[in-house]
């Protein structure tokens, strides 16, 4: 059985071979987004693209983002049931996601 590290490597390598740009994992505590307390999804670092800005001019991207997940009623942090995980993503930004 493959380890999680091997699966992650194979996933990223396959998509890089299909012309996806590898985007390294961003910090779990976002440095440039005051709307997020912590990174909770692999797509957080692509938020600007979904909002209509694509400064890197990405057409295809792949990542394996470190994330913090919280369980409980409506992500209530006071319940303190949280864990760190990785979200893998394959992204193909297009005009349909952008504001016109």
């Amino acid at each position: 059985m493959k380890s999680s590290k091997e699966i992650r490597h194979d996933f990223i390598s396959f998509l890089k071979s299909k012309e996806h740009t590898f985007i390294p994992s961003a910090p779990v505590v976002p440095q440039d987004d005051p709307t997020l307390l912590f990174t909770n999804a692999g797509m957080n670092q692509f938020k600007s693209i979904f909002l209509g800005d694509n400064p890197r001019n990405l057409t295809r991207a792949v990542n394996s983002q470190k994330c913090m997940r919280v369980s409980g009623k409506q992500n209530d942090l006071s319940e303190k049931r949280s864990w760190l995980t990785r979200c893998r993503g394959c992204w193909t930004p297009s005009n349909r996601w952008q504001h016109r």
Side-chain angles (χ1 to χ4, degrees):
M1 180 181 288
K2 289 186 177 186
S3 69
S4 61
K5 185 176 182 177
E6 291 169 319
I7 293 168
R8 189 168 43 252
H9 176 269
D10 290 350
F11 174 82
I12 292 168
S13 294
F14 173 77
L15 288 165
K16 283 173 68 176
S17 76
K18 303 295 182 190
E19 300 181 9
H20 285 66
T21 301
F22 174 69
I23 305 297
S25 184
V28 174
V29 177
Q31 304 297 306
D32 57 354
D33 189 344
T35 67
L36 294 171
L37 181 60
F38 53 83
T39 300
N40 62 351
M43 64 188 284
N44 287 160
Q45 61 183 314
F46 301 106
K47 182 177 174 182
S48 64
I49 294 172
F50 298 125
L51 294 175
D53 187 23
N54 189 355
R56 298 184 201 178
N57 203 25
L58 293 174
T59 55
R60 295 184 179 120
V62 59
N63 71 333
S64 179
Q65 175 62 50
K66 295 176 200 136
C67 300
M68 182 175 170
R69 296 291 187 162
V70 178
S71 67
K73 187 176 180 181
Q74 297 183 0
N75 291 340
D76 184 358
L77 290 175
S78 66
E79 292 187 22
K80 295 185 173 77
R81 293 186 304 177
S82 60
W83 61 96
L84 293 176
T85 186
R86 281 194 178 259
C87 295
R88 282 173 286 289
C90 169
W91 313 98
T92 52
S94 70
N95 288 336
R96 72 172 184 261
W97 289 344
Q98 297 177 1
H99 295 288
R100 300 199 187 268

